[in-house]
């Protein structure tokens, strides 16, 4: 399965590095960035296919990671919608972009909203997950499995996962000036 990253800045690159450290083959990645210079830098630094064409990533990838600045997400989602590709897992890490907001542009897509931190590149990260109802259980397990080797902890909003235990509510997103709370679940692997 090819993992496509639209955006490979600090966070996108940290995720790619973490997955490469886990042993995923470089051939399983494709990333799109703004400039040919950035593509060359990513190719040299990570050894993956890097291009300046979002459409190529959208068409070739089995899973899409949206790793761009929040102001760029709308345009990327419009490009995905216009491409006509069938729904596939879409993992977004942009602040302010909830599953519901993403699904306004891509209805019924299996959207996974994540909030990772950069230490995941060295196996010490913590990632918060929020899955759309349309995200099948198998896909949920697979996505969390990708992040499993890059974390000290995994947090999942609303829902459950085997091996997780309930934790106190935490602020997840800010919407309309009010913080929305979600019950969080924590899974920690003790090394």
């Amino acid at each position: 399965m090819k993992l496509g990253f639209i955006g490979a800045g600090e966070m996108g690159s940290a995720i790619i590095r973490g997955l490469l450290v886990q042993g995923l083959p470089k051939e399983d990645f494709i990333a799109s960035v703004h400039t040919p210079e950035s593509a060359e830098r990513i190719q040299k630094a990570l050894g993956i296919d890097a291009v300046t064409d979002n459409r190529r990533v959208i068409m070739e990838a089995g899973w899409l990671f949206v790793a761009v600045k929040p102001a760029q997400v709308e345009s990327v989602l419009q490009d995905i919608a216009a491409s006509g590709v069938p729904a596939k897992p879409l993992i977004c890490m942009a602040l302010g972009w909830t599953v519901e907001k993403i699904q306004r542009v891509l209805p019924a897509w299996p959207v996974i909203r994540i909030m990772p931190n950069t230490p995941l590149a060295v196996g010490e990260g913590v990632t918060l997950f929020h899955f759309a109802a349309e995200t099948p259980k198998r896909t949920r397990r697979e996505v969390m499995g990708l992040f499993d080797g890059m974390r000290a902890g995994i947090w999942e909003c609303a829902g459950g996962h085997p091996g997780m235990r309930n934790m106190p509510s935490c602020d997840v997103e800010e919407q309309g000036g009010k913080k929305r709370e979600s019950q969080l679940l924590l899974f920690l692997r003790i090394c």
Side-chain angles (χ1 to χ4, degrees):
M1 164 192 43
K2 189 159 281 232
L3 303 177
F5 284 75
I6 298 176
E10 189 172 328
M11 188 55 64
S13 292
I15 292 171
I16 294 168
R17 275 189 199 91
L19 294 171
L20 290 170
V21 167
Q22 287 186 64
L24 270 68
K26 293 176 180 181
E27 298 77 30
D28 286 357
F29 294 87
I30 184 169
S32 60
V33 292
H34 280 295
T35 67
E37 296 79 21
S38 293
E40 185 177 334
R41 184 176 31 79
I42 294 294
Q43 286 173 338
K44 285 181 182 177
L46 302 174
I48 67 167
D49 191 11
V51 298
T52 58
D53 181 10
N54 288 351
R55 185 167 173 78
R56 182 170 162 204
V57 173
I58 293 164
M59 301 308 284
E60 290 184 21
W63 288 6
L64 293 172
F65 287 77
V66 177
V68 297
K69 302 272 189 229
Q72 300 167 320
V73 173
E74 178 87 32
S75 173
V76 168
L77 295 178
Q78 293 295 340
D79 288 348
I80 294 168
S83 74
V85 298
K88 56 180 94 179
L90 183 134
I91 299 102
C92 183
M93 59 204 76
L95 291 173
W97 283 87
T98 63
V99 166
E100 297 79 16
K101 191 173 178 179
I102 294 166
Q103 286 188 318
R104 285 185 209 133
V105 181
L106 298 170
W109 272 55
V111 174
I112 300 109
R113 171 73 170 85
I114 64 171
M115 292 179 68
N117 61 1
T118 55
L120 58 79
V122 293
E124 296 297 326
V126 175
T127 302
L128 176 71
F129 292 83
H130 180 211
F131 297 95
E134 293 80 4
T135 307
K137 287 183 182 181
R138 178 180 176 187
T139 301
R140 293 174 190 222
R141 286 190 305 271
E142 289 171 346
V143 169
M144 292 179 82
L146 277 179
F147 284 81
D148 189 48
M150 298 187 292
R151 55 95 172 121
I154 294 176
W155 296 71
E156 181 182 354
C157 299
H161 187 272
M164 292 188 170
R165 55 190 162 93
N166 288 331
M167 296 299 288
S169 295
C170 295
D171 294 332
V172 176
E173 294 276 353
E174 187 166 329
Q175 292 181 329
K178 293 184 179 177
K179 293 215 176 192
R180 181 184 68 181
E181 289 189 345
S182 255
Q183 180 70 28
L184 295 179
L185 302 164
L186 174 66
F187 172 73
L188 284 174
R189 182 181 73 198
I190 305 198
C191 302

